[in-house]
Amino acid sequence: MSKSKIWLSSPHMGGTELEYIQEAFDTNWIAPEGTNISEFEQDLENYLSQNLFVTALSSATAAIHLGLILLNVKPNDVVICQSLTFSASANPILYLGATPVFVDSEPETWNLCPIALEEAILDTISKGQKPKAIITVHLYGVPYKIEEIRAVANKYKIPILEDSAEALGSGYKGQKCGTFGDISVFSFNGNKIITTSGGGAIITSNYQLKQKIQFLASQAKDKAPHYQHSELGYNYQMSNICAGIGRGQMKVLDKHITLRRAMHDFYVSLFENIPGITVFTTADPDSFANYWLTSILVNPNETKNGINRETIRLALLDSNIECRPLWKPMHLQPLYKNYPFYGTKIAETLFEKGLSLPSGSNLTDLDRDRIKMAFIKLLE
Ligand SMILES: *Cc1c(COP(=O)(O)O)cnc(C)c1O
């Protein structure tokens, strides 16, 4: 009997999503406008509880693009970005004709290293250019070193664009991720902790910026009876149908976080006495991780028979269980290899040893048993 696939992270509906979609049909707001959008934005604003303004968009990639525009990034400007991340964190820098400068991770949070960050800023300034923005990431839902990074950014007066795509529900000292940037973004792609099938949001500190985003995201139409444009616009709004899914998903967000964290606990106990395999866990008691994905580091010098991350990935694939190596650092990508990089080999080593494991909130006891058996077969 062939067993069904266990996914890394698949959509998990809460049950009320269709009611909001029905509402959109009943009122005929099958458009990038309607009450699902304003209510979804309101739900997110309430959840963040920092008097910030949320604008729903078509994706986090679009949100980062508009965020960089609001931060006035122009062709040939320099933008600093964490290297160990998904390409969507960095691609909007190139959309704008700006130059990405990549920075290494530190080993505790796997995110931006404050020392390498300062080195990158000083070296860029010494070459006659001050970076326009710093793109920070909370990888796999683990908060970066919030205070250290903010201190460096403030010292050089460079704004932070916080890529919180993976970290909805994570936090630091009781404050939610998505509120630490000068501008922040979330993703609601199908594989994220909640989904709108595809979508994103941008978080700003004032209403004027929200209005500017809404203007740019809806083709930058000037006030006129005809269509008139004095600025370059984009078609980046979220659909009222997708926002309906989002409203339903917001009702189960906290439950999803609890379940993702339970998956993390499951792996911690599974690998407790297994030499050479460590589960990525926040060391900082002030940090709260949603553990969007649980990842392990595999050290072949210590594992049984020198098993490495690729042996594990293939063995699990054989049991129809999806795993994925960590994000390949941007400075090692063919597309980005000629741009500056500051740091050592932290991100590179994490990439070589790291593997993300099935982490969805919809995994069952049966799924966990299959995962456990696959590892036992391999390691004992
Ligand atoms: C998923 C993701 C994005 C992109 O989100 P989309 O909504 O798919 O555009 C950006 N950055 C990070 C770190 C992500 O994980």
Side-chain angles (χ1 to χ4, degrees):
M1 199 180 73
S2 74
K3 285 181 177 155
S4 62
K5 181 151 183 164
I6 297 179
W7 298 94
L8 197 66
S9 179
S10 68
H12 185 192
M13 291 300 106
T16 57
E17 292 82 1
L18 277 173
E19 292 168 26
Y20 296 110
I21 293 177
Q22 188 64 48
E23 199 176 297
F25 274 71
D26 290 345
T27 53
N28 203 32
W29 283 104
I30 316 294
E33 215 173 308
T35 47
N36 280 339
I37 296 171
S38 48
E39 291 297 323
F40 180 44
E41 291 173 344
Q42 185 68 59
D43 288 347
L44 284 161
E45 286 173 4
N46 293 345
Y47 187 75
L48 297 176
S49 72
Q50 293 284 323
N51 296 319
L52 296 170
F53 293 84
V54 173
T55 312
L57 295 172
S58 56
S59 70
T61 312
I64 295 169
H65 190 185
L66 293 185
L68 292 177
I69 291 170
L70 291 186
L71 295 175
N72 203 26
V73 172
K74 295 272 173 10
N76 302 318
D77 281 342
V78 167
V79 175
I80 291 179
C81 184
Q82 176 165 325
S83 185
L84 186 66
T85 185
F86 180 49
S87 63
S89 304
N91 288 345
I93 304 170
L94 290 193
Y95 298 170
L96 290 166
T99 304
V101 165
F102 294 107
V103 171
D104 209 355
S105 296
E106 36 80 14
E108 259 173 64
T109 75
W110 294 8
N111 293 310
L112 214 49
C113 169
I115 298 162
L117 172 64
E118 184 157 20
E119 194 190 319
I121 293 170
L122 285 172
D123 199 50
T124 308
I125 291 174
S126 79
K127 289 174 179 151
Q129 259 189 312
K130 185 172 148 181
K132 273 289 184 67
I134 300 164
I135 300 176
T136 58
V137 185
H138 309 286
L139 219 60
Y140 306 122
V142 172
Y144 60 80
K145 289 189 182 275
I146 303 286
E147 290 176 10
E148 289 87 337
I149 297 298
R150 178 46 79 183
V152 176
N154 286 356
K155 183 171 172 188
Y156 298 96
K157 298 190 168 59
I158 303 171
I160 290 177
L161 198 164
E162 178 193 13
D163 180 350
S164 197
E166 303 177 1
L168 179 58
S170 300
Y172 179 74
K173 291 189 174 172
Q175 187 181 331
K176 294 266 188 325
C177 290
T179 68
F180 295 111
D182 295 87
I183 291 178
S184 305
V185 315
F186 289 126
S187 171
F188 311 111
N189 191 25
N191 63 352
K192 296 301 194 315
I193 195 149
I194 63 166
T195 184
T196 59
S197 78
I202 185 163
I203 299 100
T204 53
S205 57
N206 65 62
Y207 187 61
Q208 286 67 37
L209 284 175
K210 175 168 172 139
Q211 284 179 310
K212 179 80 188 183
I213 290 158
Q214 288 177 321
F215 170 76
L216 291 173
S218 57
Q219 309 285 19
K221 295 173 199 134
D222 295 344
K223 281 198 172 59
H226 53 274
Y227 276 5
Q228 176 160 308
H229 309 275
S230 16
E231 278 188 65
L232 182 59
Y234 303 86
N235 182 5
Y236 279 174
Q237 287 173 293
M238 179 178 277
S239 146
N240 194 48
I241 302 289
C242 296
I245 305 175
R247 285 178 78 184
Q249 290 272 280
M250 282 306 286
K251 295 195 189 302
V252 290
L253 171 58
D254 282 332
K255 191 177 115 199
H256 284 197
I257 293 168
T258 303
L259 291 165
R260 297 250 175 188
R261 286 171 54 86
M263 280 308 295
H264 182 268
D265 290 343
F266 161 76
Y267 288 116
V268 168
S269 62
L270 180 61
F271 298 119
E272 209 167 17
N273 298 310
I274 308 286
I277 297 184
T278 47
V279 179
F280 177 40
T281 302
T282 42
D284 183 348
D286 288 327
S287 277
F288 180 84
N290 68 7
Y291 289 122
W292 168 59
L293 294 185
T294 296
S295 301
I296 53 172
L297 288 180
V298 186
N299 183 351
N301 298 326
E302 293 173 20
T303 51
K304 183 179 169 242
N305 301 330
I307 281 168
N308 61 24
R309 78 120 147 89
E310 196 55 12
T311 334
I312 295 177
R313 193 184 69 82
L314 293 173
L316 269 76
L317 196 63
D318 214 40
S319 301
N320 213 12
I321 299 168
E322 185 187 27
C323 300
R324 195 197 294 134
L326 302 193
W327 303 126
K328 179 170 178 169
M330 289 304 114
H331 72 282
L332 303 175
Q333 296 283 358
L335 175 64
Y336 286 116
K337 67 179 186 329
N338 294 325
Y339 291 98
F341 169 75
Y342 294 86
T344 55
K345 285 187 178 291
I346 305 289
E348 186 169 345
T349 309
L350 289 170
F351 171 63
E352 279 163 14
K353 295 185 177 169
L355 191 68
S356 297
L357 303 175
S359 305
S361 46
N362 51 2
L363 294 177
T364 63
D365 284 339
L366 226 59
D367 293 332
R368 279 181 283 276
D369 279 344
R370 271 177 61 192
I371 294 166
K372 191 172 174 176
M373 289 317 295
F375 272 106
I376 286 174
K377 211 170 100 185
L378 188 67
L379 295 165
E380 287 181 1

